[in-house]
Amino acid sequence: MKTARYDIQHLTIRVVDEKRTRVFYEKVLGLVDVASDETQINYAFHAGEAPFLTMLLGGKPQTVAQTGLYHMALLFPNAAELASILHRLLTLQIPVGAGDHDVSEAIYINDFEGNGIELYHDRDAQNWKWQDGFVTMGTNEVDGDKLLAQKQHDWTGFPTGIKIGHLHFMGSHLVDADKFFLKFLQMDLVSNVSTSAHFYSNNHYHHHHAVNLWQSENSDLRHLDEAGLIDWRVVVDQAYFDLLAQRAQSEEVTVSVNNDKQIKVIDPMGTTLLIMHD
């Protein structure tokens, strides 16, 4: 799909420890609790906004290797804002990884329960290199000093324009991932890492989703009562929604809801994708 709206708007993650979750997401990152009770916390980037992340409380620790979320990736509007949060993380001595992926520059952290988070900014799309439908995405070292030199202010919270840029999953079999993302969602395969990871996108983006087998090949599907991803939500345009509604009837996907407002399907990781239209 080259012209469809595709906005990743929300995730639900089950967590074990409420206190540690609040410390990380509120004190370290600066997310705003916009609604919470004894069962869940709903986080937004800024006060008054709709939540993009729901934490379900009372989860059990994972007992076996299983599919799920590898990381959620938050797309920053520019390098200067990414530099601000990098400076904060280093100041707080939060372990940080990094990768220069040609199309983007990224830093990686885990929350206190091991949920992965990528923080990144895109380079100018006009400079991305494409050949035969595949985009060049390497993994090289980030020049940390050069990135930090672009910081314009200390971290005070997420900048205007921040959004979920992509979701990277841990899968059990790539053939199942391909059926879901290529056949059902009608995305393009835009990159791979040998036979261990596939990257998918709409609109000639470098990737909206990836599925890897690095820690999860042949593993169990998500145990939904245990810590980890529960569901994710995207908003698409009406034409794309209508196409997916038709494909939900014909493709080999497990559908729990399919009406004129929403489609709920089970993804290859065993979690739920909710599709809505604008």
Side-chain angles (χ1 to χ4, degrees), residues 9 13 33 40 42 45 59 61 72 88 94 116 122-123 128 135 150 167 203 222-223 226 231 233:
Q9 289 203 337
I13 296 174
D33 174 1
Q40 63 183 14
N42 289 282
F45 290 115
M72 69 170 174
R88 174 170 179 78
I94 301 296
D122 280 336
R123 293 203 167 96
W128 300 351
V135 64
Q150 299 178 70
L167 298 177
N203 304 320
R222 274 284 294 125
H223 294 199
E226 297 178 359
D231 60 47
R233 183 176 74 226

Side-chain angles (χ1 to χ4, degrees), residues 1-153:
M1 300 292 293
K2 299 300 184 186
T3 59
R5 178 184 178 187
Y6 191 83
D7 294 334
I8 306 167
Q9 289 203 337
H10 186 270
L11 292 85
T12 302
I13 296 174
R14 194 179 301 281
V15 296
V16 176
D17 189 318
E18 178 182 2
K19 182 177 180 180
R20 284 165 61 84
T21 295
R22 286 190 178 278
V23 167
F24 185 84
Y25 287 94
E26 297 172 30
K27 303 301 183 183
V28 175
L29 294 184
L31 292 178
V32 179
D33 174 1
V34 292
S36 63
D37 56 29
E38 67 276 5
T39 66
Q40 63 183 14
I41 311 167
N42 289 282
Y43 285 124
F45 290 115
H46 309 107
E49 294 181 349
F52 76 96
L53 179 64
T54 296
M55 297 302 204
L56 298 183
L57 306 175
K60 304 174 184 177
Q62 289 195 4
T63 56
V64 296
Q66 56 192 268
T67 58
L69 184 67
Y70 187 65
H71 61 236
M72 69 170 174
L74 303 181
L75 176 58
F76 282 64
N78 52 56
E81 296 292 352
L82 184 64
S84 291
I85 195 169
L86 174 59
H87 179 266
R88 174 170 179 78
L89 294 169
L90 294 175
T91 300
L92 295 176
Q93 297 184 324
I94 301 296
V96 176
D100 184 327
H101 302 304
D102 299 309
V103 296
S104 63
E105 195 171 30
I107 59 178
Y108 298 92
I109 56 176
N110 290 327
D111 70 14
F112 295 145
E113 295 196 359
N115 295 299
I117 303 171
E118 176 181 343
L119 310 168
Y120 76 109
H121 76 92
D122 280 336
R123 293 203 167 96
D124 188 339
Q126 294 183 346
N127 295 325
W128 300 351
K129 296 180 181 179
W130 293 84
Q131 183 174 359
D132 299 327
F134 270 43
V135 64
T136 298
M137 289 194 293
T139 300
N140 304 300
E141 290 186 3
V142 169
D143 186 334
D145 291 337
K146 182 178 179 181
L147 177 57
L148 288 169
Q150 299 178 70
K151 182 174 77 75
Q152 297 177 355
H153 56 80

Side-chain angles (χ1 to χ4, degrees), residues 253-268:
V253 293
T254 301
V255 181
S256 60
V257 177
N258 187 359
N259 57 40
D260 60 355
K261 294 183 178 180
Q262 61 180 3
I263 305 166
K264 282 187 178 181
V265 297
I266 305 302
D267 66 26

